Amino acid sequence: MVEGREIAVKVLSRSSDQGLLEFKTELILISKIQHVNLVKLLGFCIHGDEKMIVYDYMPNKSLDFFLFDPAKKELLNWDTRFNIIEGIAQGLLYLHKYSRLRIIHRDLKASNILLDDNMNPKISDFGLAKIFKQNVIEANTNRRVGTYGYMAPEYAMQGIYSVKSDVYSFGVLVLEIVCGQKNNSFHNEEGPLNLVEYAWELWSKDAALELVDQTLKSSCSHIDQLQRCIHVGLLCLENRATDRPTIEDVLSMLKNERMMLPMPKFPAFVSGSSVVYELENGKSQKFSANGLSMSAIDGR
């Protein structure tokens, strides 16, 4: 507690790949951005090898804590899930367009979406984020960092990242929120490689609603909204970055039910064998497992 206020302390593990540069990046970025759907920085501490960041305390932990737990996911009804989807999109819109700095998050995933006491989402963990000048569209790096399952194909294989890389990660998140399963939870050798491929198979058979989490099917009356979210999610997962919508377009498509949506093309299955081979045999790359945070958030 700080002056009677609950806080969360992110303690950087000594074994973490995040070094002093990433730590400073996170501090600089969070100190300069303010939005209702972004985590708020309260302070930090560096003492020898110990590095800590102090945030507002999020009593409901992170999205993955609920979404991928068979018992806890029942607490996420569809209205709550849609609010989380929209809130993440609003946070990304601020980062991509309305903040003083154009910021590419590069590690958007369920464990980096914190939930406040009203289950409102807060994007967190900016240690891998990159700042763009407003006139810069994309950049290239040989040092690829991020998380299997959420990584856009052009970034995973060529090191090219842009706002559309975050849009791809957002598309994976949307499907996970609708389905209640991790992207990499498919292990049948004869079946789909991941949730993205499974969603595409169902979409191609005009059976997209079979993707919906079983805990929602008995109580959800927003069938059209569910279908629209799956549709938008697949549009965000286009193989070519230029074919993906901007996050501003995504919000319009989610909120305007009368808006006609383009048909999605064949999406990129980033955990497919060819991409996985590139990742596992490449150089200067840092990846965390799907859904695994590189740091711990503890209430104080």
Side-chain angles (χ1 to χ4, degrees):
M1 304 282 283
V2 176
E3 298 179 350
R5 181 176 188 172
E6 283 188 294
I7 61 171
V9 179
K10 173 183 174 180
V11 181
L12 190 66
S13 169
R14 290 171 183 258
S15 62
S16 172
D17 285 332
Q18 185 178 0
L20 187 60
L21 177 61
E22 288 90 346
F23 184 77
K24 289 181 176 178
T25 296
E26 185 159 10
L27 292 178
I28 292 169
L29 288 179
I30 299 176
S31 66
K32 292 180 180 291
I33 56 179
Q34 297 290 330
H35 188 271
V36 66
N37 295 118
L38 303 177
V39 71
K40 185 177 180 181
L41 174 72
L42 300 179
F44 67 93
C45 176
I46 301 176
H47 181 71
D49 293 333
E50 299 290 341
K51 306 180 189 74
M52 294 181 288
I53 303 178
V54 182
Y55 298 113
D56 266 339
Y57 177 55
M58 296 292 112
N60 285 314
K61 301 185 179 180
S62 56
L63 176 59
D64 62 324
F65 178 76
F66 288 90
L67 190 61
F68 304 136
D69 186 295
K72 293 184 178 68
K73 71 167 60 179
E74 294 184 4
L75 299 174
L76 297 177
N77 61 31
W78 176 245
D79 287 337
T80 300
R81 296 192 198 201
F82 186 77
N83 180 66
I84 290 171
I85 289 172
E86 184 179 347
I88 297 169
Q90 292 285 4
L92 277 181
L93 178 61
Y94 175 80
L95 293 176
H96 290 178
K97 186 173 181 179
Y98 293 119
S99 72
R100 289 182 297 167
L101 307 167
R102 177 178 288 177
I103 298 168
I104 315 301
H105 189 279
R106 295 204 304 171
D107 199 23
L108 194 69
K109 57 184 177 181
S111 59
N112 284 341
I113 305 300
L114 305 185
L115 301 172
D116 68 11
D117 51 356
N118 293 316
M119 303 298 278
N120 294 310
K122 312 276 186 178
I123 299 173
S124 70
D125 206 333
F126 289 83
L128 304 182
K130 285 291 186 180
I131 301 173
F132 272 20
K133 294 180 181 179
Q134 288 297 330
N135 62 341
V136 175
I137 298 175
E138 66 180 28
N140 188 284
T141 180
N142 290 323
R143 183 175 177 268
R144 281 160 272 178
V145 293
T147 303
Y148 280 124
Y150 293 93
M151 197 176 297
E154 70 278 3
Y155 181 52
M157 299 189 72
Q158 298 172 281
I160 299 172
Y161 59 92
S162 67
V163 292
K164 298 297 185 74
S165 309
D166 282 351
V167 169
Y168 183 94
S169 303
F170 175 79
V172 176
L173 262 176
V174 169
L175 295 187
E176 289 184 334
I177 291 169
V178 169
C179 183
Q181 293 187 60
K182 295 181 181 180
N183 188 34
N184 69 345
S185 62
F186 292 74
H187 303 293
N188 187 344
E189 293 183 1
E190 298 181 358
L193 292 168
N194 54 25
L195 179 59
V196 174
E197 184 177 3
Y198 179 56
W200 178 252
E201 287 181 359
L202 292 176
W203 177 270
S204 301
K205 296 187 294 186
D206 199 25
L209 288 177
E210 290 183 23
L211 188 71
V212 176
D213 192 336
Q214 292 292 329
T215 62
L216 297 175
K217 289 186 176 179
S218 60
S219 60
C220 183
S221 58
H222 305 286
I223 301 300
D224 290 343
Q225 196 175 60
L226 273 163
Q227 182 109 15
R228 177 168 285 263
C229 283
I230 296 170
H231 193 155
V232 172
L234 288 172
L235 288 173
C236 293
L237 295 166
E238 297 279 10
N239 186 47
R240 289 166 51 90
T242 54
D243 291 335
R244 295 173 212 144
T246 64
I247 201 66
E248 187 173 18
D249 292 335
V250 165
L251 274 165
S252 297
M253 291 188 286
L254 288 173
K255 298 176 72 172
N256 186 353
E257 296 181 357
R258 295 184 179 181
M259 184 177 179
M260 294 294 294
L261 306 185
M263 295 303 292
K265 303 170 187 174
F266 196 78
F269 307 145
V270 173
S271 61
S273 57
S274 61
V275 177
V276 169
Y277 179 84
E278 291 283 344
L279 296 179
E280 292 179 346
N281 292 276
K283 297 180 180 179
S284 301
Q285 301 167 358
K286 293 183 182 180
F287 303 106
S288 59
N290 189 359
L292 178 63
S293 295
M294 290 188 290
S295 54
I297 302 275
D298 297 311
R300 302 285 179 178

